Amino acid sequence: EGMPGHVSFNTATLEEVDGKTKVTNRIVFQSVEDRDGMLQSGMHDGMEEGFDRFDELLRRVQKRMAA
C-alpha cells in the first residue's frame, strides 16, 4: 500500500519504438520525504511485479489472437 494518506501524481506514457511499446512512468511526490518513504516501502518492487504480471497477460492475449 505504500504510504497511506500520502498523495502522488502518476503519468504513464506509451510510445512505439522499433515496433515495441515503450512505457514511461513519471511519479511526482509532494516532498522528497514522501518519495523516499515510498521507495523504502517497497513500491518499486510492487511496480515491477505488476509489470511482470502485465507482460504475462499480454503474452497470453497475443497467443490467443494468433490461434
Side-chain angles (χ1 to χ4, degrees):
E1 183 63 31
M3 295 175 54
H6 293 262
V7 178
S8 61
F9 180 76
N10 303 284
T11 304
T13 305
L14 299 112
E15 66 178 300
E16 184 179 344
V17 178
D18 298 326
K20 296 183 178 184
T21 302
K22 176 182 176 182
V23 179
T24 303
N25 284 308
R26 181 175 181 193
I27 305 171
V28 179
F29 297 94
Q30 290 180 313
S31 69
V32 172
E33 293 78 17
D34 281 1
R35 180 203 63 198
D36 292 349
M38 288 295 268
L39 289 171
Q40 290 172 2
S41 77
M43 178 188 89
H44 180 267
D45 294 335
M47 290 184 73
E48 287 294 320
E49 180 182 336
F51 284 125
D52 289 344
R53 293 174 69 189
F54 187 55
D55 286 342
E56 178 58 31
L57 175 64
L58 291 175
R59 278 191 286 277
R60 284 190 267 148
V61 168
Q62 287 175 332
K63 187 176 179 180
R64 286 182 189 158
M65 290 179 68

